[in-house]
Amino acid sequence: MNAREKIAALRKLMKKNKVDAYYVPSADPHMSEYLPECWKHRAWLSGFTGSAGEVLVGMKKAGLWTDGRYFLQGSIELKGSGIDLMRMGEPGTPSKVQWLAAQLKKGQSLGVDASVISVSAARSFDEGLAAHGIKVKYFTPNLVGELWTDRPDPVLAPMVNHPVKFCGEKVESKLSKVRAAMKDAGCTAHVVAGLDQVAWLLNVRSKDISFTPVVTAYAVVTNRAATIYVDSRKVGKGIAKTLKGKAVIKPYDSVWDDLKKLGGAKKSCVWIDESCTNRRVVDTLKGAGIHSAASPITALKAVKNAVQIEGFAEAHRRDGVAMVKFLKWLETAVPAGGQTEITASDQLAKFRAEGEGFKDLSFDTISGYAANGAIIHYSATKESCAKLKPKGLYLIDSGGQYPEGTTDITRTVPLGKPTKRQIECFTRVLMGTIDCTMIPFPAGTTGQRQEMFARRALWAIGEDYAHGTGHGVGQYLGVHEGPHSLKNIDTPPLVEGNILSVEPGHYESGKFGIRIEHLAFVVRDEKHSTADKTWFTFHPVTLAPIDTSLVNKKLMTSDQVTWLNQYHKRVYKELSPRLDAGHRKWLKKATKAI
Amino acid sequence: MNAREKIAALRKLMKKNKVDAYYVPSADPHMSEYLPECWKHRAWLSGFTGSAGEVLVGMKKAGLWTDGRYFLQGSIELKGSGIDLMRMGEPGTPSKVQWLAAQLKKGQSLGVDASVISVSAARSFDEGLAAHGIKVKYFTPNLVGELWTDRPDPVLAPMVNHPVKFCGEKVESKLSKVRAAMKDAGCTAHVVAGLDQVAWLLNVRSKDISFTPVVTAYAVVTNRAATIYVDSRKVGKGIAKTLKGKAVIKPYDSVWDDLKKLGGAKKSCVWIDESCTNRRVVDTLKGAGIHSAASPITALKAVKNAVQIEGFAEAHRRDGVAMVKFLKWLETAVPAGGQTEITASDQLAKFRAEGEGFKDLSFDTISGYAANGAIIHYSATKESCAKLKPKGLYLIDSGGQYPEGTTDITRTVPLGKPTKRQIECFTRVLMGTIDCTMIPFPAGTTGQRQEMFARRALWAIGEDYAHGTGHGVGQYLGVHEGPHSLKNIDTPPLVEGNILSVEPGHYESGKFGIRIEHLAFVVRDEKHSTADKTWFTFHPVTLAPIDTSLVNKKLMTSDQVTWLNQYHKRVYKELSPRLDAGHRKWLKKATKAI
């Protein structure tokens, strides 16, 4: 079936189910950032393969809502599908609610698979459409799933233990913290729906999703028990033994019966996190009191303990070795010819894979040469990728998954002689990276304010970057992790043990892109903290040289220059024992003080 | 009667009115920042004269809630009153709701004069106390007012026109903008309750309140008419003639009958601003639909037009002349002896009063010598004020009201040889003032983020100041005016025509205080704006030298030094034509490039 035929078939099912429109989001039941293949309903139906996009199908029209990153790709992939491309953020593009209000009459209804929409997103539909007299019917099974006869099976990789030697905290300790939070909130149970939350809480990992080693599972924590609901075929003897006495293991689909019982229990008050819990969970809990708030796991998970902090440091030493090999390789491979954005990122992945304990990349590498470097979410394809030539700038943003920690690093390197403009912009981006990392900030400061330090040197010349400065990072979990961030949004104050990326950039459309990114821990600033007031600062864990041929020292303050030289000294000190003589020599030169 | 007797008498009235506790805030019916004498019920009842404080009287206990500025003053003034001092922000201090929950039983009630509590504050009481089964009874008249037999009469200064030559916009134009906003919101009427809103809308001023030349009045705007409710004794023939055809003038108390009619009218929807509208207004409007949102006047008023911008510039030239006279005077008066914090601030007021068009100070001058400079809200009294000696730092924060504009300036000057530490801190405060003023910021930036530029140089050495960086300013109205600010709170993005103070500081308890403050307009940054993106920057209007003997040039960037020298050049250029030879010579030296 092509997209047009699939949509026609879906409309028949819609009629049968008495709904006048149907919603097909890009989501799994756990609101994951990266989807397992078997949950890519939207891609299967529409043919559009971008990471972000939602489809609405009415009886006459259909539309796909996506953002500016995917306007070009969407217009190509949707050709002939009968689905209109809805360019979000462009003037005149209707919102989903506005579009539905135009397509549907009063009293008609929208159908939604309750298991692939979050409680909060469902509320937006309910409230927005009520004003137009349109009803929302939540039900399972998924109508697209019924048509998708060759839908891939779920991944059955085994669930494994993430040992305390890496994560630094026993399941019992984590459960008691969650129960203490439940008690404070007056809750009798907490349904844990976010996959990274389940993984952190029960120290389990798997390979269900690309880049993020989570297990597809729900967990339910009560005062007496913890239960994990997971496909039985993923549960070997080892993990069953490890979890014994800590959590009961039940089949994935049995969660619905148990939630129903929980709803029917006397005086039950269930904690759910609306952002990562699907609507079906709340519907199934009918009868229970609902406490809606961010899961207590979110804040706990974001504060790394001493074992994790050392683990991240070790992961970054290995990652740094791979980066050094890659940066040295670039210097000869590019002039030798035959390299592309793809061969280069493959080479870096190969260097990473040589490292001890390497498990996977932590996200799709962004390998952008020249003008492609200016496309913030650029994804090179084998067919269209650029050849690397010995001129212009090259930007590579990549990361790895190690059981000790997750990495995420961006470096920008000149493949030939850089221009004056490129040097000025690189220096100002670097000044932002340094200021944001180096300047102490008092306890209570949010990332929304702190990230201004990263922008200052660029703003001073009227330049800015259209993305946040940084995000939290999980340990051998999601490379993007809340609740904290360095963005223009309201997030909780930064606290000791948080780890964030610091990644200002500068992009000149059609010309070049610059970004410098490292991960850094929020640490207590001993020099400035007093008995009354705690000051924090960032300690970078990423270890790789920053190209000094792109630096104009004259623009920098002496403090910034000192920081860069000390950082480079540390990079050499920590990485050189792991390198052979040739790479050591190269690194010595690359980290020379300016 | 002393406070103890007054409270006993109040309890009798409470019994008679069947309430078990009574709330006495520091407020007038328009939620003004500065109160007219006749609305100082809380001060009369309790004996506590601080600007911030709320009293709750129960049948057995009574308490006064105030903040850290007033803990010392409160403990002295409340002695023997039987009123407990509630130190807000200190651990263990109950909130008002917690205190009431402890004093009152379920089913008992709190009495509140509906005319001195805002709709939003009333809602906090309603919601907080409902959880404890306590009712809130809103009624008039004020029980304290009934006891206060020698209550001063309201001020009967005439209401006068604030001419278009100063404010730059006709009443008709302002009304049509308000009506357009009402139409967009589906409203048939807007009750204007904030005194600065009434003054701005109808171009009227008076002298009802110290420092802020507002008129005690309500205004009601409908599609057809505008009505001002004001004490008839304040209305002369001139203003009656000016307002004719623009607004109907009615007696102040007749507002209640008219609001009742408005509530009874068919399909009426009334816009009220909960932050400055008292609860009695909403109760009286019973029957009408209520649209709760910030008054459209707030945002309109905050964008100054070309006439106002030039007016502010002119007011600041006059104010700058007074500051120059004062700073020169200090240099000889202090070594000569006999000067105090009070005589100095009196002298500055005298220099201001000599200027053309000077009407009043815009707030109580903060004149703080040495350790007193470290008290952020310091208020010198004749009895306790410090003598000025030729050593240490002296901080003076003051402002004037001119029909053209309102001023607010802080300068810190060394009365003797400054220490190295004082020079470093002053320089870093100055770097903050300069960065916050000089660095361009893109449209959409909020003050919460922009003000980080003012803190950066201090944070770099682990220092911070415990106050916001700046506030909006009215034109010949309140020296503090929203909705925008440079503070760690969520306010709308800064827009062209906003005027703000920029006032970072540094305070060493028991030693000295430093603050440098100027007012500045948000202006379009022509150098960096493009067709796609607007950049803003600040243009300072305050004109007075910054003491360069406190500046360590080595800490500053060359851009910061250039800014300071260009600012001083401008100060000399704009003020020197208005000075005599002696002052001109002094200013030449004071503004010499570093």
Side-chain angles (χ1 to χ4, degrees):
Chain A
M1 283 196 287
N2 61 28
R4 197 171 279 275
E5 292 161 343
K6 290 172 184 171
I7 300 236
L10 176 60
R11 286 187 175 130
K12 276 186 194 162
L13 274 184
M14 284 158 55
K15 260 187 200 157
K16 203 174 137 192
N17 284 273
K18 292 181 180 136
V19 294
D20 309 280
Y22 195 68
Y23 175 58
V24 187
S26 178
D28 73 350
H30 305 277
M31 308 303 134
S32 303
E33 184 180 359
Y34 300 105
L35 296 186
E37 289 302 320
C38 61
W39 281 103
K40 294 186 174 171
H41 291 72
R42 188 263 297 145
W44 178 83
L45 177 73
S46 66
F48 171 71
T49 58
S51 72
E54 298 159 89
V55 167
L56 280 171
V57 178
M59 282 305 172
K60 285 179 186 160
K61 289 189 166 187
L64 178 135
W65 280 255
T66 191
D67 62 62
R69 288 176 288 169
Y70 294 116
F71 289 170
L72 181 64
Q73 183 179 339
S75 67
I76 294 166
E77 293 183 341
L78 293 179
K79 210 166 273 176
S81 68
I83 303 172
D84 299 323
L85 178 64
M86 299 295 180
R87 297 161 194 262
M88 285 162 65
E90 286 206 349
T93 301
S95 70
K96 296 191 291 291
V97 165
Q98 287 169 334
W99 187 89
L100 287 165
Q103 297 295 316
L104 271 56
K105 291 177 203 153
K106 267 190 190 178
Q108 290 193 313
S109 60
L110 168 72
V112 178
D113 174 357
S115 64
V116 291
I117 187 167
S118 71
V119 177
S120 51
R123 180 175 300 117
S124 296
F125 266 138
D126 290 341
E127 293 179 355
L129 293 172
H132 300 282
I134 296 166
K135 275 187 289 189
V136 189
K137 292 187 186 168
Y138 297 97
F139 56 86
T140 45
N142 192 295
L143 299 190
V144 177
E146 288 190 31
L147 297 173
W148 191 4
T149 47
D150 56 347
R151 184 180 166 198
D153 287 326
V155 174
L156 292 179
M159 174 166 78
V160 297
N161 180 39
H162 189 234
V164 173
K165 74 170 174 175
F166 293 137
C167 71
E169 187 172 6
K170 290 182 179 174
V171 170
E172 292 88 336
S173 164
K174 293 179 176 182
L175 282 171
S176 77
K177 286 177 185 171
V178 170
R179 285 181 179 129
M182 284 162 50
K183 197 180 167 191
D184 285 348
C187 289
T188 57
H190 176 29
V191 176
V192 186
L195 297 187
D196 57 343
Q197 295 169 358
V198 175
W200 179 88
L201 180 67
L202 299 174
N203 292 346
V204 289
R205 298 291 190 274
S206 189
K207 289 182 185 172
D208 296 5
I209 295 179
S210 301
F211 310 127
T212 310
V214 288
V215 192
T216 304
Y218 294 93
V220 175
V221 181
T222 65
N223 293 328
R224 296 186 180 181
T227 310
I228 179 166
Y229 300 87
V230 58
D231 192 312
S232 311
R233 293 168 289 180
K234 293 171 67 67
V235 184
K237 280 183 188 167
I239 190 69
K241 199 178 159 194
T242 309
L243 284 179
K244 201 168 183 182
K246 296 167 193 160
V248 178
I249 304 174
K250 288 192 173 183
Y252 185 66
D253 283 327
S254 67
V255 72
W256 305 112
D257 278 345
D258 282 9
L259 291 182
K260 212 170 165 183
K261 279 181 211 153
L262 203 56
K266 267 186 198 166
K267 288 188 185 174
S268 75
C269 177
V270 184
W271 187 325
I272 67 132
D273 185 331
E274 297 201 348
S275 65
C276 58
T277 305
N278 65 61
R279 169 73 180 235
R280 189 178 171 192
V281 168
V282 178
D283 288 347
T284 310
L285 282 169
K286 204 177 156 185
I290 297 291
H291 173 70
S292 275
S295 168
I297 294 171
T298 302
L300 290 169
K301 184 161 54 70
V303 177
K304 269 62 179 178
N305 59 45
V307 173
Q308 291 179 300
I309 291 171
E310 176 42 37
F312 266 98
E314 173 56 24
H316 279 83
R317 281 179 215 116
R318 294 180 203 158
D319 215 60
V321 167
M323 283 301 296
V324 166
K325 287 179 183 170
F326 175 71
L327 293 170
K328 181 175 181 294
W329 172 85
L330 265 186
E331 283 189 2
T332 49
V334 173
Q339 301 301 338
T340 69
E341 291 166 337
I342 294 277
T343 63
S345 62
D346 285 351
Q347 184 61 49
L348 175 54
K350 201 177 143 238
F351 286 132
R352 273 209 171 88
E354 289 170 14
E356 186 194 336
F358 175 80
K359 296 286 184 180
D360 197 355
L361 298 180
S362 59
F363 60 97
D364 243 336
T365 301
I366 298 173
S367 171
Y369 174 58
N372 292 340
I375 302 167
I376 295 170
H377 294 274
Y378 180 65
S379 178
T381 62
K382 271 189 181 130
E383 297 72 34
S384 66
C385 70
K387 285 181 184 160
L388 305 185
K389 294 174 198 161
K391 62 175 183 180
L393 298 185
Y394 171 61
L395 180 157
I396 184 152
D397 184 350
S398 67
Q401 288 285 8
Y402 306 81
E404 291 86 350
T406 302
T407 72
D408 185 359
I409 174 173
T410 309
R411 287 293 181 265
T412 305
V413 289
L415 300 185
K417 191 175 151 53
T419 65
K420 236 179 142 177
R421 171 74 182 167
Q422 288 168 342
I423 290 175
E424 161 143 25
C425 295
F426 184 91
T427 306
R428 289 185 178 274
V429 171
L430 175 61
M431 288 160 74
T433 306
I434 295 176
D435 270 12
C436 190
T437 308
M438 168 179 80
I439 294 180
F441 53 94
T445 305
T446 60
Q448 181 175 177
R449 279 161 64 80
Q450 206 279 345
E451 71 133 23
M452 289 293 284
F453 294 140
R455 297 187 190 270
R456 178 179 174 274
L458 288 160
W459 283 23
I461 57 163
E463 296 293 348
D464 194 16
Y465 45 92
H467 58 75
T469 297
H471 53 80
V473 181
Q475 184 200 30
Y476 194 37
L477 277 178
V479 72
H480 299 147
E481 180 179 283
H484 54 297
S485 72
L486 298 173
K487 282 182 195 151
N488 188 13
I489 52 168
D490 191 23
T491 51
L494 301 171
V495 297
E496 202 176 351
N498 285 164
I499 181 167
L500 292 113
S501 70
V502 178
E503 46 180 314
H506 172 78
Y507 311 93
E508 302 209 349
S509 182
K511 295 180 185 166
F512 62 88
I514 292 166
R515 188 161 61 248
I516 304 171
E517 176 187 22
H518 58 219
L519 303 190
F521 273 106
V522 176
V523 295
R524 190 178 149 91
D525 179 7
E526 294 300 342
K527 189 174 166 195
H528 298 115
S529 291
T530 62
D532 296 336
K533 191 148 195 179
T534 300
W535 285 78
F536 295 128
T537 187
F538 278 114
H539 176 72
V541 281
T542 298
L543 297 168
I546 292 163
D547 203 303
T548 51
S549 70
L550 281 167
V551 175
N552 178 0
K553 192 178 162 180
K554 282 182 202 154
L555 291 173
M556 299 167 74
T557 66
S558 63
D559 285 348
Q560 289 164 345
V561 172
T562 303
W563 186 95
L564 181 65
N565 289 337
Q566 284 180 346
Y567 173 71
H568 270 151
K569 212 170 156 180
R570 196 182 133 217
V571 169
Y572 184 79
K573 193 182 159 195
E574 298 214 30
L575 297 187
S576 57
R578 300 178 181 225
L579 297 172
D580 63 26
H583 285 95
R584 211 155 44 224
K585 194 177 158 195
W586 181 89
L587 185 61
K588 189 83 191 173
K589 200 178 151 198
T591 56
K592 205 182 147 202
I594 61 164
Chain B
M1 284 197 286
N2 61 29
R4 197 171 279 278
E5 292 161 342
K6 289 172 185 172
I7 298 232
L10 176 60
R11 286 187 175 130
K12 277 188 194 161
L13 273 185
M14 283 157 55
K15 262 188 197 153
K16 204 174 138 193
N17 284 274
K18 294 185 177 134
V19 293
D20 308 281
Y22 195 68
Y23 174 58
V24 188
S26 178
D28 73 350
H30 305 276
M31 309 301 135
S32 302
E33 183 181 359
Y34 300 105
L35 295 185
E37 289 302 320
C38 60
W39 281 103
K40 295 187 173 171
H41 291 73
R42 188 264 297 147
W44 179 83
L45 178 74
S46 66
F48 171 71
T49 59
S51 72
E54 298 158 89
V55 167
L56 280 171
V57 179
M59 280 306 173
K60 285 178 185 161
K61 288 189 166 186
L64 178 136
W65 280 255
T66 190
D67 62 63
R69 290 175 287 170
Y70 294 116
F71 289 169
L72 180 66
Q73 183 180 338
S75 66
I76 294 166
E77 293 183 342
L78 292 180
K79 209 166 273 176
S81 68
I83 303 172
D84 299 323
L85 179 63
M86 300 296 181
R87 296 161 195 263
M88 284 161 66
E90 286 206 349
T93 301
S95 70
K96 296 192 290 291
V97 166
Q98 288 169 334
W99 187 89
L100 286 165
Q103 296 295 316
L104 270 57
K105 292 177 201 154
K106 266 188 191 182
Q108 289 194 314
S109 61
L110 168 72
V112 178
D113 175 357
S115 63
V116 291
I117 186 166
S118 71
V119 176
S120 51
R123 180 175 300 119
S124 295
F125 266 138
D126 289 341
E127 293 179 354
L129 293 173
H132 300 282
I134 296 165
K135 274 186 289 189
V136 189
K137 292 187 185 169
Y138 297 97
F139 56 87
T140 45
N142 192 294
L143 298 190
V144 177
E146 288 192 31
L147 297 172
W148 190 6
T149 47
D150 56 346
R151 185 180 166 199
D153 286 325
V155 174
L156 293 179
M159 174 166 78
V160 297
N161 180 39
H162 188 234
V164 173
K165 72 170 174 177
F166 294 136
C167 71
E169 187 172 7
K170 289 183 180 175
V171 169
E172 292 87 337
S173 164
K174 294 179 176 182
L175 282 171
S176 78
K177 287 178 185 172
V178 169
R179 284 179 179 131
M182 284 162 52
K183 196 181 167 191
D184 285 347
C187 290
T188 57
H190 176 30
V191 176
V192 187
L195 298 188
D196 57 344
Q197 295 170 357
V198 175
W200 179 87
L201 179 67
L202 298 174
N203 292 344
V204 290
R205 298 291 190 274
S206 189
K207 289 183 185 172
D208 295 6
I209 294 179
S210 301
F211 309 127
T212 310
V214 289
V215 192
T216 304
Y218 295 92
V220 174
V221 181
T222 64
N223 293 328
R224 296 183 180 185
T227 311
I228 179 167
Y229 299 88
V230 57
D231 192 313
S232 310
R233 293 168 291 180
K234 293 171 66 67
V235 183
K237 280 183 189 167
I239 190 68
K241 200 178 158 194
T242 308
L243 284 179
K244 202 168 183 183
K246 297 167 192 161
V248 179
I249 304 174
K250 288 193 172 182
Y252 186 66
D253 283 327
S254 66
V255 72
W256 305 112
D257 278 345
D258 282 8
L259 291 182
K260 212 171 167 181
K261 278 180 211 155
L262 204 53
K266 266 186 199 167
K267 289 188 183 174
S268 74
C269 176
V270 184
W271 187 325
I272 66 132
D273 185 332
E274 296 202 347
S275 65
C276 58
T277 305
N278 65 60
R279 169 75 180 231
R280 188 179 172 193
V281 168
V282 178
D283 289 346
T284 310
L285 282 169
K286 204 176 155 184
I290 297 291
H291 173 71
S292 274
S295 169
I297 294 171
T298 302
L300 291 169
K301 185 161 54 70
V303 177
K304 269 62 179 178
N305 60 44
V307 173
Q308 290 179 301
I309 291 171
E310 176 42 36
F312 267 98
E314 173 56 23
H316 279 83
R317 282 179 214 116
R318 295 180 202 156
D319 215 60
V321 167
M323 283 301 296
V324 166
K325 288 180 183 169
F326 175 71
L327 293 170
K328 180 175 182 294
W329 171 84
L330 265 185
E331 282 189 3
T332 49
V334 172
Q339 300 301 338
T340 68
E341 291 165 337
I342 294 277
T343 65
S345 62
D346 286 351
Q347 183 61 49
L348 175 56
K350 201 175 144 240
F351 285 133
R352 274 209 170 88
E354 289 170 14
E356 186 195 336
F358 175 81
K359 295 286 183 180
D360 197 355
L361 298 180
S362 60
F363 59 98
D364 243 338
T365 301
I366 298 173
S367 170
Y369 174 57
N372 292 340
I375 303 168
I376 295 169
H377 294 275
Y378 179 65
S379 177
T381 61
K382 269 188 183 130
E383 298 73 33
S384 65
C385 70
K387 285 180 185 161
L388 305 186
K389 293 174 201 163
K391 61 176 183 181
L393 299 187
Y394 171 62
L395 181 157
I396 185 152
D397 184 350
S398 67
Q401 289 284 8
Y402 306 81
E404 291 86 350
T406 301
T407 72
D408 184 358
I409 174 174
T410 309
R411 286 294 181 265
T412 305
V413 289
L415 301 185
K417 192 177 152 50
T419 65
K420 235 180 143 176
R421 171 77 181 165
Q422 289 168 341
I423 289 174
E424 161 143 26
C425 294
F426 184 91
T427 306
R428 289 184 178 274
V429 171
L430 176 60
M431 288 159 74
T433 307
I434 294 175
D435 269 11
C436 190
T437 308
M438 169 178 78
I439 294 180
F441 53 94
T445 306
T446 60
Q448 180 175 179
R449 280 161 61 81
Q450 206 278 346
E451 71 133 23
M452 289 293 285
F453 295 140
R455 298 187 190 269
R456 179 178 173 274
L458 289 159
W459 283 23
I461 57 163
E463 296 292 349
D464 195 16
Y465 45 92
H467 58 74
T469 298
H471 52 81
V473 181
Q475 184 200 30
Y476 193 37
L477 276 177
V479 73
H480 300 146
E481 180 180 284
H484 54 297
S485 72
L486 298 173
K487 282 182 195 152
N488 188 13
I489 53 167
D490 190 23
T491 51
L494 301 171
V495 295
E496 202 177 350
N498 285 165
I499 181 169
L500 291 113
S501 71
V502 178
E503 46 179 315
H506 172 79
Y507 310 94
E508 303 208 350
S509 181
K511 294 179 185 167
F512 62 88
I514 291 166
R515 188 162 60 249
I516 305 171
E517 176 187 22
H518 58 220
L519 303 190
F521 274 106
V522 177
V523 295
R524 190 178 149 91
D525 180 7
E526 294 301 340
K527 190 176 165 192
H528 297 115
S529 292
T530 62
D532 297 335
K533 192 148 195 180
T534 300
W535 285 78
F536 295 128
T537 187
F538 277 114
H539 176 72
V541 281
T542 298
L543 297 167
I546 292 164
D547 204 303
T548 51
S549 70
L550 281 167
V551 175
N552 177 0
K553 192 178 161 179
K554 283 181 202 154
L555 292 173
M556 297 167 74
T557 65
S558 63
D559 285 348
Q560 288 164 345
V561 172
T562 303
W563 187 95
L564 181 64
N565 289 337
Q566 283 181 346
Y567 173 71
H568 271 151
K569 210 169 156 181
R570 194 181 134 218
V571 168
Y572 184 79
K573 193 183 159 195
E574 297 214 33
L575 297 187
S576 58
R578 300 177 181 225
L579 298 171
D580 64 25
H583 285 95
R584 211 152 48 220
K585 195 178 158 193
W586 180 91
L587 184 61
K588 189 83 192 172
K589 202 178 150 196
T591 56
K592 206 184 146 200
I594 60 165

